[in-house]
Amino acid sequence: MIVIGGGLAGLSSAVALADAGFRVRLLERRPFLGGRASSYTLPDGEHVDNCQHVTLGCCTNLDDFYRRVGASRKIGVYDRLVFVDRDGRRSLMQASALPAPLHLAVSLALYPSLVWSERRAIGNAMLAIARRGGRNADGDAAGKSMLDWLRLHDQSESAIRRFWSVVLVSALNEELDRTDARYGLDVFWKAFLANRAGYRLGIPLVPLGELYDGCKAAIESRGGEVQLRASVRCLRVSDERVLGVEIDGGREESADAYVLAVPHDAVLALLPERLIGAQPGFANLRRLRSAPITGVHFWFDRDVMSEPFLTLLDRTTQWIFNKSRLYGGPGDGRYLQLVVSASYDLLPRSRQEIIDLCLAELREVLPEAREAKLLKAVVIKEANATFSPEPGSDRWRPSQRTSLSNFFLAGDWTATGWPATMEGAVRSGYLAAEAILAAVGTPRGFLQPDLPPEGLARWYARRGAL
Ligand SMILES: Cc1cc2nc3c(=O)[nH]c(=O)nc-3n(C[C@H](O)[C@H](O)[C@H](O)COP(=O)(O)OP(=O)(O)OC[C@H]3O[C@@H](n4cnc5c(N)ncnc54)[C@H](O)[C@@H]3O)c2cc1C
């Protein structure tokens, strides 16, 4: 088997195929694994994540993948989320003893950044989501943006800005007027309503690159290999099959089956025009738009933060991660990473403007940072971070199977039902591996089930299934 691309989609398909006994050659263009969810060394010697990545309890396939490659113990799990608003008020999001879908209702009822009528309206909208029982594509959500759906359910501008956007813009990396309501409703159903564990935040306790140490061993244990700095230039294709891949430098390699696991905007350049013309699925990839994320790294001369992370309301900065604390020192808040999802407004701004803006916000939230000296700052703008989950975008996401008998696709952009996330990427990798095993006559399942709906949420989920 040849897998092209060493991001989570390629890695998960390669590890699954190796588990099934296949010899896999994984070809990755860059000198390290992990793709968009990776870390690397800057020219000044500092090792940084491409951007802070987090996972949620409802991401069952990513969880399974980390377990397979021995990375689970490198993920910290947090069940207490702290939101800070412009007035410095802190809200806690934590499960109470109530069963799902009511476990977060107490936190919501006490949410100090909104007035009582807004909290009650949010509760009603959450109940409307719970009643759907996970069937989120139809009814009053069909064809709508998340913003339209929220307005339809009487959410005030302030509730949208101070509650719904805070969760959804980070989870989906898009503004609510450009987000398919189905994706937004899915986030709340899977992470906040269906199961008490769904909202728990998983945060890597090591640089992202260290999560993939076990992948190479898993692939090599079955006689396979990982080739870094192996940039595939094109695929050679007949009418029915892929015949081989051409790698930079002129080398050619061939295999029984191929998984193409590169980002959606890199796919078409590798395929012959003839194939793109013959399969509308490929040409439709041009219709998927991308959305940006900006990460800002700050190093201070002293500790400026004690919490492991904070979520900010009413500001450009959305999250602050205390990297020193997450990594277990040295220092307990000297190295911080800030994240701005759907960062369209920051793209045209200079690096210095972004540093000034984020530093000013940080100093408002963290009093210790006011006196501290900023030693170093790094801004990483990812203009094409993820595909945009626009209304109707699911139409343009191809299946992992193609019309060529030995050619399969993987990537967060393929049809998984999930937005562009690490979970979506792993699902696509598992689905591609399942499709290959079915094609060679030895079907096997890798895909993990969602967390089971509990309590009243289970009743709502079952009601629709009858
Ligand atoms: C800044 C940022 C923050 C994010 N935050 C989160 C988060 O907090 N939580 C979350 O769940 N998701 C997050 N995501 C999304 C997540 O990173 C992606 O959805 C996921 O990593 C995509 O994996 P992938 O394997 O599909 O693609 P990629 O990771 O892009 O992997 C594709 C690989 O293919 C390689 N490649 C490309 N062309 C070739 C070629 N010609 N030959 C060989 N190899 C090639 C690339 O080098 C790359 O390694 C974030 C993304 C970004 C950019």
Side-chain angles (χ1 to χ4, degrees), residues 35-241:
R36 275 170 279 163
S38 194
S39 54
Y40 43 80
T41 306
L42 295 171
D44 68 0
E46 198 76 59
H47 194 85
V48 294
D49 285 350
N50 175 44
C51 185
Q52 177 68 51
H53 275 62
V54 302
T55 172
L56 288 168
C58 57
C59 296
T60 50
N61 286 274
L62 182 63
D63 196 35
D64 177 76
F65 171 73
Y66 285 150
R67 210 173 312 118
R68 276 175 195 270
V69 301
S72 297
R73 65 193 158 74
K74 300 176 183 171
I75 306 291
V77 178
Y78 298 84
D79 59 6
R80 214 168 160 268
L81 316 185
V82 182
F83 297 57
V84 190
D85 71 15
R86 182 159 282 289
D87 305 320
R89 282 179 302 219
R90 294 186 175 221
S91 323
L92 194 62
M93 198 59 78
Q94 190 170 27
S96 66
L98 292 174
L102 302 171
H103 52 295
L104 295 171
V106 176
S107 292
L108 187 59
L110 299 174
Y111 199 73
S113 308
L114 295 172
V115 298
W116 171 244
S117 59
E118 289 169 332
R119 292 180 231 166
R120 198 181 51 210
I122 291 175
N124 289 339
M126 293 277 249
L127 196 59
I129 300 174
R131 283 208 188 101
R132 304 175 78 97
R135 295 166 297 280
N136 293 327
D138 46 20
D140 65 6
K144 282 203 183 56
S145 74
M146 190 62 196
L147 187 65
D148 288 342
W149 189 89
L150 289 171
R151 288 188 173 145
L152 190 69
H153 286 260
D154 303 323
Q155 301 303 298
S156 68
E157 291 310 308
S158 149
I160 290 172
R161 193 166 34 82
R162 293 183 142 191
F163 178 73
W164 298 97
S165 286
V166 178
V167 174
L168 291 174
V169 172
S170 306
L172 299 171
N173 191 33
E174 190 50 284
E175 301 291 355
L176 300 190
D177 58 340
R178 302 187 215 188
T179 295
D180 195 313
R182 199 271 293 169
Y183 284 112
L185 299 177
D186 270 0
V187 169
F188 275 91
W189 168 249
K190 289 176 181 164
F192 287 80
L193 295 165
N195 184 296
R196 289 170 55 82
Y199 80 103
R200 287 185 193 147
L201 206 61
I203 309 185
L205 305 174
V206 295
L208 286 168
E210 291 182 25
L211 297 175
Y212 314 117
D213 290 346
C215 296
K216 193 164 179 279
I219 293 166
E220 286 175 350
S221 69
R222 296 297 181 145
E225 58 176 324
V226 173
Q227 298 181 16
L228 300 176
R229 297 191 173 88
S231 184
V232 170
R233 200 189 288 166
C234 64
L235 276 74
R236 280 196 309 108
V237 171
S238 75
D239 284 345
E240 293 106 34
R241 299 174 61 77

Side-chain angles (χ1 to χ4, degrees), residues 5 7-9 28-29 35-36 51 53-54 232 261 293 411-412 421-422 425:
L8 275 160
E28 166 55 47
R29 182 169 59 96
R36 275 170 279 163
C51 185
H53 275 62
V54 302
V232 170
I293 301 181
D412 58 1
T421 51
M422 298 187 285

